[in-house]
Amino acid sequence: MISNLLRTGIILGLLALAGCQKREGVAAAADKSVQPPKPVTVETVKETERSRHFAAVNRELELGGTLYAYADVDGDALAVATGLQDTMKQIAAAQPMLAPYAKDYGPVFTALGLDDIKAMGLSSVAEGDGYFRNRVFFYTPGQRHGLLAGLGGASAPFARLDLAPANTDFYAESEIDLPAVYATIRNVVAKVGGENSANQFERSLKNAGQSAAISVLSLIQGWKGHMALVERFEPEKTWKLPLPGGATVPAFSLLISIDGLAPAVKDALAKSPVLAMRQVGSVQIYDLKQPLPLESLKPIFVIDGSTLLIATSETFFNECRHPKKGLAQEPEFQQALARVGKEGNGLGYISPRFFARLHQIDALNPQLPAEMKRSLLMVLNKLPAADRPLVTVRTNLPDGILFRSYWNRSLKQDVAVVAFYNPVTVGLMAAMAIPAFQKVRTASQEKTVLNNLRQLAAAADQFYLENGVNTATYEQLVGPGKYIRVIRSVAGEDYKSLVFEQGQSLEVHLSSGKVIKYP
C-alpha cells in the first residue's frame, strides 16, 4: 500500500517536474520571440548616382518623421540666370528698348550669393502631443558671401538674452551684418547699371536724412552686431487707440536694442527739437518734450556706448537692464530652448500668454462695425492657441545654416515657420534692396531714353541730307516705312513734341522731372 502510494507520488513528481520544464521552455521561446526590433536601414541609390551633398544635409535632419525633403540645387541659380538672359534676348528682339536688360545675369546672381547654397533639406517630427521638432538646413560648404554674409559669423551663446525679464512674452535676437548686405547691393547695382549708377546710389544714401542730421549710409555702416527685441503684454491694462471707432488693444511694454547704431544717430537725437537729453549714470536718455495721448506710453531713446536702445518707458528700460529674474532662468524657457540648441545666431521665443492676450482683442472691442469685426476675427482665428512656449533658433554652422524650431505645427503644414525667428532681418534686406533696384531701373530707363534720342538724331540727319532741309517732324522720322519703325516711351517722356532742327540738341522731360539731352 505504502509502496503504491510512494510510486504514485514519484510519478506525479516527475510529471510536475516535466510540466515545469515545459513551461520554462515555452517562456524561453517566448522571450526569444520578443526581441528588440532591428535598426531600420534605409537604402540609398549607389554612390555613383547619389547627390554628392546628400550626406552633409542628411546629417542635420531627422529621418522618419512626418516630413523629410532634400533638394540638390547646385548650379540651379546660374541656370536660372542663363534662362533669364535668353528670355530677355527674345523679348528684346521684338522690343529693342529692352536690349540693355538682355545681359548675363550670372555675375549678379553670384554677387547676391545665390550660388552659395548647394543643397537644402527639411524634416519634421511629431512628438505625439501636438508639437513638432522642425529643421531646415541650407548647405553652404564654402565661405558665404553676398546676402548670406549678412547673417553674421560663427555660432555663440545668445548675447542679449539678459535683457529679457522673466515674464517676457516675445523675444527676438539676431546677429546681422548690414554693411555686408549693403556691399552686396552696391555690387549688384554696379553690375546691372554700371559704376556710375552705384556711385549715385551711394551718394543718395549719404544725402538721405541730412535734414534730420542722419546719414542713412552711416546707419547702414554702423549696423553690425546683435539686435534684440523684448515685448511684454501688461496684465489688465489696455490702450484706447485714437482711431475712428476707438479700437482697444492690450497695453504692452517694448524694448529694442541695436548694437553699433548709437554713433550714427547721436547728433540727430541731440539736435531734435522734440527731445530733451539728460545724463543718467553712464547713459544718455532722450525724452519726448510733449506727452503722447496713450497712457503709460512714455518712450525714451538711450545712448549706451555704441548701442542704441528704444523703450516704451523708462520703467521698462530699467527693468530690462537690471531684471530681478531673467527669462533665461525660467524653467519653461530652458526646456523649450533645450529642444533647439542653447546657442546660435538668431533666436525667437513666444510665450503662451502672447497668443492668449491677442485673442482678447475681440472681447475688448464689442462696439466695432460688423465688417471690421469679421476682418478682425479672420486674423485672430489664424493665431495658434499654444499651451507652452514656441521657440526657433538659427545657427550658422561651418558648412551651412540650420534652423531648428519647436512649434505646434509641422513644416508640412507651414514651411514659412522658419522665417519666424526674425522678420526684422528680412525687412531690412528688402528695405535696402527695393530702392537699390529701383535706382538700377531708373538708370536703365535713362540709358534707353538717351539711346532713343540718339536714334532720332541720326534719323533726322539722314532726313536733312536726303531732302535738303534743316528741320523735320517726329511724324516724318518715325512710323511704318520711315527711318525708325517705332519709338516707345519708357519713363513718361514725349518724343512727339520734339523740335528737330539741324545743329540743335534734342531733350525730353521724364515723369520724374529729370531732363535727358542729346548730344
Side-chain angles (χ1 to χ4, degrees):
M1 178 72 174
I2 295 175
S3 61
N4 288 337
L5 290 174
L6 180 60
R7 193 165 42 248
T8 301
I10 292 173
I11 292 173
L12 291 174
L14 290 174
L15 289 174
L17 180 61
C20 290
Q21 290 175 337
K22 184 175 181 180
R23 283 193 297 272
E24 289 174 0
V26 171
D31 286 341
K32 290 180 181 179
S33 67
V34 186
Q35 294 294 326
K38 293 181 179 180
V40 177
T41 58
V42 178
E43 293 188 7
T44 60
V45 296
K46 56 187 179 181
E47 189 171 351
T48 56
E49 299 174 336
R50 193 180 310 147
S51 166
R52 62 195 181 99
H53 308 308
F54 175 75
V57 175
N58 182 62
R59 185 170 58 245
E60 303 298 340
L61 304 179
E62 295 182 282
L63 178 62
T66 59
L67 175 68
Y68 183 96
Y70 168 82
D72 188 321
V73 296
D74 196 353
D76 288 356
L78 296 182
V80 170
T82 300
L84 180 59
Q85 181 184 15
D86 292 341
T87 300
M88 293 308 300
K89 283 181 178 178
Q90 295 175 19
I91 296 174
Q95 305 290 341
M97 76 287 301
L98 296 178
Y101 294 96
K103 58 174 61 184
D104 182 8
Y105 287 93
V108 174
F109 279 43
T110 299
L112 288 171
L114 299 182
D115 61 335
D116 284 353
I117 301 175
K118 305 302 181 183
M120 58 186 295
L122 51 91
S123 66
S124 190
V125 178
E127 294 199 342
D129 56 359
Y131 283 73
F132 297 82
R133 300 193 308 272
N134 297 316
R135 294 190 178 193
V136 176
F137 183 61
F138 297 93
Y139 180 55
T140 58
Q143 182 177 0
R144 290 187 291 274
H145 66 291
L147 296 179
L148 295 182
L151 296 178
S155 172
F158 299 110
R160 296 293 174 266
L161 194 54
D162 58 346
L163 289 174
N167 54 0
T168 295
D169 288 319
F170 179 92
Y171 178 80
E173 176 182 333
S174 178
E175 182 186 5
I176 183 168
D177 186 347
L178 213 54
V181 176
Y182 168 72
T184 297
I185 298 298
R186 190 191 185 284
N187 190 19
V188 169
V189 172
K191 290 182 181 299
V192 175
E195 190 62 28
N196 288 337
S197 295
N199 291 335
Q200 185 179 357
F201 170 56
E202 186 163 290
R203 284 194 298 271
S204 68
L205 289 179
K206 285 181 179 178
N207 297 331
Q210 280 189 346
S211 59
I214 296 178
S215 166
V216 174
L217 185 60
S218 296
L219 286 175
I220 293 170
Q221 297 292 9
W223 203 319
K224 181 177 181 179
H226 284 261
M227 175 178 179
L229 186 152
V230 183
E231 186 273 344
R232 180 183 68 202
F233 282 116
E234 300 302 338
E236 309 304 324
K237 291 184 180 180
T238 59
W239 284 336
K240 191 94 169 177
L241 300 181
L243 298 173
T248 301
V249 297
F252 62 86
S253 294
L254 179 71
L255 174 78
I256 299 174
S257 170
I258 308 172
D259 289 353
L261 208 59
V265 302
K266 190 173 182 178
D267 287 346
L269 294 176
K271 295 177 181 178
S272 174
V274 300
L275 297 175
M277 191 274 283
R278 53 194 168 93
Q279 190 78 30
V280 180
S282 61
V283 303
Q284 295 175 346
I285 298 179
Y286 295 84
D287 303 283
L288 289 176
K289 292 180 179 179
Q290 297 295 326
L292 295 177
L294 295 177
E295 183 183 357
S296 77
L297 182 57
K298 301 175 181 178
I300 60 171
F301 300 84
V302 181
I303 299 293
D304 184 3
S306 63
T307 301
L308 171 68
L309 299 103
I310 306 169
T312 50
S313 70
E314 188 172 357
T315 301
F316 190 64
F317 167 74
N318 290 328
E319 186 177 346
C320 291
R321 288 254 296 177
H322 308 289
K324 294 180 180 178
K325 186 179 180 182
L327 179 65
Q329 286 73 51
E330 283 292 290
E332 195 176 44
F333 173 81
Q334 293 175 345
Q335 292 170 9
L337 194 63
R339 297 174 181 271
V340 292
K342 296 184 178 180
E343 65 176 47
N345 304 84
L347 166 65
Y349 165 87
I350 303 180
S351 77
R353 296 182 303 273
F354 182 88
F355 298 111
R357 198 76 167 103
L358 288 179
H359 279 291
Q360 293 175 359
I361 295 178
D362 178 35
L364 292 173
N365 294 276
Q367 81 291 350
L368 288 181
E371 186 64 30
M372 189 177 295
K373 192 87 166 176
R374 282 194 296 270
S375 300
L376 176 63
L377 287 174
M378 183 175 65
V379 174
L380 295 178
N381 288 337
K382 293 184 179 297
L383 294 176
D387 61 0
R388 69 196 74 171
L390 307 181
V391 63
T392 298
V393 165
R394 186 251 304 174
T395 306
N396 293 345
L397 301 177
D399 63 347
I401 303 169
L402 176 64
F403 296 82
R404 287 173 287 184
S405 67
Y406 178 62
W407 203 258
N408 60 351
R409 76 175 90 193
S410 168
L411 286 179
K412 181 176 66 174
Q413 299 165 300
D414 188 4
V415 176
V417 72
V418 300
F420 145 76
Y421 88 97
N422 185 23
V424 177
T425 302
V426 179
L428 286 170
M429 291 183 178
M432 289 183 62
I434 291 172
F437 284 110
Q438 179 65 31
K439 184 67 67 176
V440 172
R441 177 175 176 269
T442 300
S444 298
Q445 288 177 337
E446 291 174 3
K447 282 186 177 181
T448 301
V449 172
L450 188 62
N451 185 57
N452 287 345
L453 292 178
R454 185 181 294 110
Q455 292 185 63
L456 288 168
D461 288 341
Q462 187 67 26
F463 182 83
Y464 304 150
L465 180 64
E466 292 179 0
N467 295 278
V469 296
N470 57 8
T471 61
T473 64
Y474 177 86
E475 287 73 17
Q476 290 172 319
L477 304 177
V478 182
K482 305 291 178 62
Y483 296 91
I484 302 174
R485 183 173 179 275
V486 65
I487 288 285
R488 297 187 186 279
S489 172
V490 295
E493 73 277 15
D494 180 12
Y495 297 105
K496 294 182 179 180
S497 62
L498 285 171
V499 176
F500 295 90
E501 186 173 348
Q502 195 168 23
Q504 298 296 316
S505 298
L506 299 177
E507 63 178 46
V508 293
H509 295 259
L510 309 187
S511 57
S512 64
K514 188 167 184 177
V515 178
I516 304 295
K517 187 176 181 180
Y518 179 84

